[in-house]
Amino acid sequence: MREPDWMLASVVVLGFIALVLACVYESTYDARHCASDDARRAGVCLWHLSCLTSAVPVLFILTGSVTEAFELKDERVEVEESVQIAALDGNSYISGHIGGYSFMGTGGASGEIKEDDAYTVMVSDGNGGYEKRRYGVDEVKVIFDSTEEDARVEEVDVVRDYDVTRSPFFAFDMKGRCREVEHQTRIHVPEGSYGEYQFNVN
């Protein structure tokens, strides 16, 4: 979730505080190490007062970051890519390798075999042909809302806008907005056409 206004303001304020404290520390260094008690006391007091004053905006930022409420105001889908599909197949696929070895006359095997559930999709290449793509079943969402003519794979961004309420110091509310962007791969096929993990355009 991105909150550019609050984050930018926080970084600017914290950077300014760090710069001011560095300047105060440098300017009071001689006074704090001076032989004169009065000068040393003045330097230490100025340094402590600067730290105390700087703590106020730091606490303001910290408490404003943790005391917040989100209210969804708008959600929309932005399609980045949409390609027609001709076939969809879901299956378990074996990957990995097994190799043999011999040590002092003894045989053995080593390696790793994995089984992954995935969808294999034949998508239009835009020139009258089709190419194969494969997606892990956890990477995509299958939606039954198309016709045979517009069965497709889409790369989309789900954009959600929120109203944010912050309560720095738990004393008053600050209103703002933030945005969340979730990328999804969606496979659209006709209702009832997908059985036993297979779909074909007739």
Side-chain angles (χ1 to χ4, degrees):
M1 192 167 295
R2 301 177 303 184
E3 301 173 74
D5 294 339
W6 179 268
M7 293 174 63
L8 178 60
S10 299
V11 170
V12 171
V13 171
L14 290 175
F16 180 75
I17 290 172
L19 181 63
V20 169
L21 286 178
C23 293
V24 173
Y25 183 87
E26 179 66 26
S27 64
T28 61
Y29 182 84
D30 292 337
R32 287 183 286 112
H33 295 83
C34 183
S36 170
D37 290 338
D38 291 339
R40 184 166 56 251
R41 258 194 305 273
V44 170
C45 286
L46 181 57
W47 169 244
H48 288 165
L49 180 61
S50 300
C51 292
L52 184 62
T53 303
S54 299
V56 174
V58 171
L59 288 175
F60 184 91
I61 291 172
L62 293 179
T63 57
S65 296
V66 298
T67 57
E68 55 192 7
F70 294 92
E71 180 183 356
L72 180 63
K73 301 301 291 185
D74 180 56
E75 179 175 321
R76 64 186 182 278
V77 176
E78 298 178 353
V79 179
E80 294 184 351
E81 180 189 43
S82 181
V83 290
Q84 182 185 7
I85 68 173
L88 168 66
D89 175 65
N91 216 326
S92 294
Y93 297 90
I94 304 298
S95 62
H97 70 281
I98 293 291
Y101 69 92
S102 177
F103 177 70
M104 297 182 65
T106 63
S110 65
E112 180 184 22
I113 293 293
K114 296 191 303 179
E115 183 177 2
D116 299 310
D117 293 328
Y119 294 114
T120 301
V121 183
M122 298 301 294
V123 303
S124 172
D125 63 4
N127 297 312
Y130 287 86
E131 61 183 26
K132 181 169 68 175
R133 295 184 186 180
R134 182 170 292 171
Y135 304 94
V137 294
D138 296 331
E139 301 172 0
V140 300
K141 178 184 293 187
V142 178
I143 303 174
F144 302 95
D145 67 347
S146 76
T147 64
E148 290 186 357
E149 290 74 20
D150 70 349
R152 62 200 184 278
V153 177
E154 290 184 339
E155 300 290 338
V156 305
D157 284 334
V158 181
V159 182
R160 302 181 183 94
D161 290 319
Y162 295 86
D163 277 347
V164 184
T165 302
R166 300 183 179 278
S167 302
F169 289 137
F170 306 93
F172 58 92
D173 291 341
M174 293 179 59
K175 302 293 185 179
R177 293 182 69 88
C178 69
R179 173 169 294 175
E180 178 184 54
V181 180
E182 177 187 2
H183 185 78
Q184 295 180 358
T185 300
R186 297 180 174 182
I187 300 175
H188 297 265
V189 293
E191 180 68 39
S193 66
Y194 186 64
E196 298 299 324
Y197 298 102
Q198 293 181 350
F199 159 76
N200 289 287
V201 175
N202 297 320

